[in-house]
């Protein structure tokens, strides 16, 4: 039992040395380690502490870290955003082209101002209840909070452009057909008499 405990401790210490030498993350970095994501709060000899999105402290043994995949999201050069906008099926062909063009022009202006690295906009598919436009862009903003604010600004501007151009966004709909059985019976009786 003592030998097993010592083996675990040695594995954790070796993990700490690996982390210190390879430096896959530093305190303050936002990382994903296995099933856990959060900001690195402390790096100790036997474990690290992450502060997750709910504000909880998550302690992960170093031996687990060196055998898990580590995604350091703070070291990325850009952030990617994907969204799908659905327009109602009544939207004309010209209006669909116009919608794609509006988004392209806006994102191109964002790119020219140095805020976006790259973007693409396409009429993507015929959805169950909407004509879908797929939008992908890569932002130079690496800080997560700033990225969310930038994404909100882009979403609001696209919504404003669509409203100004009378482009109606779709939402899940269903059609209900109510049959009047009394009328059907009377029609059947009439047809029999003929």
């Amino acid at each position: 039992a003592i030998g097993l405990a010592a083996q675990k401790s040695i594995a954790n210490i070796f993990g700490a040395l690996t982390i210190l030498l390879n430096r896959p993350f530093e305190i303050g970095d936002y990382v994903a380690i296995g099933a856990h994501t959060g900001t690195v709060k402390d790096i100790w000899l036997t474990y690290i502490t992450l502060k997750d999105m709910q504000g909880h402290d998550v302690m992960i043994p170093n031996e687990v870290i060196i055998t898990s995949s580590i995604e350091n999201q703070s070291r990325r050069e850009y952030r990617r955003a994907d969204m799908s906008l659905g327009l109602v099926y009544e939207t004309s062909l010209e209006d669909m082209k116009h919608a794609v063009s509006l988004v392209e022009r806006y994102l191109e202006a964002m790119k020219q101002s140095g805020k976006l690295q790259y973007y693409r906009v396409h009429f993507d598919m015929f959805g169950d209840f909407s004509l879908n436009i797929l939008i992908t862009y890569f932002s130079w903003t690496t800080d997560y909070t700033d990225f969310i604010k930038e994404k909100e600004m882009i979403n609001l501007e696209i919504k404003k452009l669509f409203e100004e151009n009378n482009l109606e966004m779709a939402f899940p709909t269903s059609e209900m057909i109510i049959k009047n059985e009394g009328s059907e019976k009377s029609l059947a009786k009439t047809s029999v008499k003929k």
Side-chain angles (χ1 to χ4, degrees):
I2 294 171
L4 183 62
Q7 188 179 10
K8 290 283 187 183
S9 298
I10 291 169
N12 282 324
I13 292 170
F14 179 74
L17 290 173
T18 303
I19 291 168
L20 291 173
L21 291 173
N22 294 330
R23 304 180 69 83
F25 50 77
E26 298 175 353
I27 292 176
D29 285 353
Y30 189 82
V31 298
I33 301 172
H36 302 288
T37 58
T39 303
V40 179
K41 182 179 176 184
D42 294 305
I43 302 174
W44 299 101
L45 197 58
T46 55
Y47 64 89
I48 72 160
T49 306
L50 295 184
K51 177 77 74 176
D52 69 10
M53 294 294 286
Q54 286 74 38
H56 303 138
D57 284 350
V58 180
M59 299 168 68
I60 306 174
N62 290 335
E63 65 167 331
V64 172
I65 295 170
I66 61 173
T67 58
S68 301
S69 61
I70 301 171
E71 181 185 343
N72 190 333
Q73 298 182 11
S74 295
R75 292 187 183 172
R76 63 178 68 189
E77 295 179 6
Y78 52 81
R79 285 185 178 270
R80 172 177 173 156
D82 295 289
M83 71 174 86
S84 182
L85 297 179
L87 297 179
V88 296
Y89 261 94
E90 290 75 18
T91 305
S92 68
L93 176 61
E94 288 305 314
D95 281 344
M96 282 302 298
K97 292 179 179 178
H98 185 50
V100 170
S101 176
L102 284 172
V103 178
E104 283 180 331
R105 285 202 302 263
Y106 172 62
L107 294 182
E108 179 61 28
M110 292 283 289
K111 181 182 176 184
Q112 294 300 322
S113 69
K115 293 182 179 178
L116 300 184
Q117 180 200 37
Y118 174 73
Y119 68 89
R120 55 179 176 258
V121 184
H122 302 287
F123 174 21
D124 180 48
M125 65 181 294
F126 296 90
D128 293 336
F129 51 85
S130 61
L131 303 172
N132 296 336
I133 299 173
L134 179 63
I135 302 169
T136 300
Y137 60 86
F138 298 85
S139 171
W140 289 114
T141 303
T142 56
D143 181 79
Y144 183 73
T145 303
D146 293 340
F147 174 70
I148 291 298
K149 291 300 292 181
E150 181 182 72
K151 190 175 179 181
E152 177 188 44
M153 179 190 71
I154 290 172
N155 290 346
L156 289 172
E157 185 61 28
I158 290 173
K159 179 168 174 53
K160 177 184 173 185
L161 288 170
F162 280 22
E163 286 180 355
E164 289 174 350
N165 289 272
N166 298 316
L167 297 168
E168 187 179 352
M169 290 190 184
F171 55 90
T173 56
S174 58
E175 184 177 346
M176 183 182 296
I177 300 173
I178 301 174
K179 293 183 178 180
N180 187 337
E181 292 185 7
S183 299
E184 289 180 356
K185 288 178 182 177
S186 62
L187 286 171
K189 288 177 182 177
T190 305
S191 61
V192 169
K193 286 180 182 178
K194 289 180 179 178

